[in-house]
Amino acid sequence: MKNLIIFGPPGAGKGTQAAFIVKRYRLAHLSSGDILRRELKNGTLGKKIKAYQDGGRLAPNALVIAMIERVMKRKIKGAGFIFDGYPRTLRQAKALDKFFQTHKTSLNLVLNLKLREKDARDRLLARGRDTGRSDDNAETIKKRFSVYRRQTRPLLKYYRARKKVIDLDGRPAIEKIARTIRAILAEKLT
Ligand code: AP5
Ligand code: MG
């Protein structure tokens, strides 16, 4: 079983690159943002989630961990997972380690896509115009970045201490980054 985390700030390209990786390695793509967005139509819970997302704040750990683990359990017999946008807090990282331990598997790699706020903002504003994703507006993007710096980026220290992190430049074209990732995975996952 192979387990990867694709890490990085909002707009770094986590979802875009994860889509290439799942195709090649038959991993299950677990995007906590997508999983939360799928619940938006779900009554009171949906309203709460929308408030967190539109405010650019993290949804509560207990809720996110429970949702992710529900999907993981369903796919535990598969080839492995790629986590996209998860974990985002130390609580979530520890819950993930515990899940791996319970299921006698482990984390292979953290791919860290690096992108500056200015570059990410331009991408997200463009997507906001094209798709209408409600948190892709200037104010929420700014908040998402500050939450990333304060609550999520510190996790890199946790994973660096475990020698799991590979840093990648998030600026090149999508195809170019995908090629770089393919080469890394060919070396590290075999
Ligand atoms: P989430 O959905 O995870 O959003 P995010 O991390 O803020 O950022 P994105 O998904 O927008 O960026 P991405 O890195 O996936 O980039 P993408 O490939 O889409 O989270 C949303 C919200 O949900 C959070 O704010 C929070 O409220 C909640 N949430 C989620 N997870 C949570 C958790 N674990 N705990 C608590 N709360 C949680 O690319 C972005 C755009 O750029 C696209 O248009 C794409 O086409 C384009 N693009 C991609 N790569 C390139 C490139 N190389 N060159 C040019 N354009 C590119
Ligand atoms: Mg995403």
Side-chain angles (χ1 to χ4, degrees):
M1 193 172 195
K2 309 291 184 200
N3 300 299
L4 309 176
I5 293 172
I6 188 147
F7 197 92
K14 302 183 293 294
T16 303
Q17 296 300 331
F20 288 116
I21 300 168
V22 294
K23 260 200 201 155
R24 203 171 177 90
Y25 289 91
R26 302 182 184 287
L27 304 177
H29 183 185
L30 287 188
S31 157
S32 46
D34 290 347
I35 291 172
L36 288 165
R37 271 185 293 277
R38 262 181 244 140
E39 298 287 328
L40 287 183
K41 292 195 186 79
N42 177 354
T44 348
L45 181 62
K47 282 210 181 75
K48 275 194 195 152
I49 291 171
K50 186 160 170 50
Y52 286 113
Q53 291 195 323
D54 287 356
R57 290 174 302 132
L58 296 184
N61 280 319
L63 171 72
V64 179
I65 292 168
M67 279 181 170
I68 283 271
E69 289 192 348
R70 200 169 61 210
V71 186
M72 283 166 75
K73 279 180 190 146
R74 229 167 47 216
K75 304 197 168 169
I76 194 71
K77 295 261 188 302
F81 298 99
I82 177 151
F83 298 92
D84 155 9
Y86 185 87
R88 264 170 149 95
T89 63
L90 194 58
R91 267 270 308 280
Q92 293 176 15
K94 288 187 170 162
L96 184 59
D97 278 345
K98 203 163 161 202
F99 187 94
F100 286 149
Q101 229 174 30
T102 307
H103 295 276
K104 304 212 170 356
T105 183
S106 61
L107 179 67
N108 294 84
L109 270 188
V110 178
L111 296 170
N112 178 34
L113 275 174
K114 296 170 77 156
L115 195 68
R116 301 213 325 243
E117 178 167 354
K118 186 185 158 306
D119 298 323
R121 189 186 56 216
D122 293 344
R123 290 183 187 175
L124 296 175
L125 287 173
R127 185 176 61 187
R129 285 190 296 270
D130 293 346
T131 71
R133 188 170 135 175
S134 62
D135 57 347
D136 285 342
N137 62 76
E139 190 190 339
T140 308
I141 292 167
K142 199 159 181 211
K143 189 72 212 284
R144 283 155 70 192
F145 251 87
S146 93
V147 165
Y148 171 75
R149 284 195 203 96
R150 207 173 54 243
Q151 295 183 261
T152 303
R153 197 169 56 187
L155 276 184
L156 282 172
K157 213 168 147 190
Y158 179 85
Y159 288 116
R160 285 198 205 284
R162 289 159 179 74
K163 308 219 180 305
K164 300 289 184 192
V165 181
I166 293 185
D167 294 300
L168 290 163
D169 184 355
R171 287 172 302 178
I174 291 173
E175 239 327 302
K176 176 133 196 279
I177 298 174
R179 273 202 303 276
T180 306
I181 292 179
R182 269 203 296 279
I184 291 169
L185 298 186
E187 186 200 326
K188 302 274 182 186
L189 289 191
T190 45

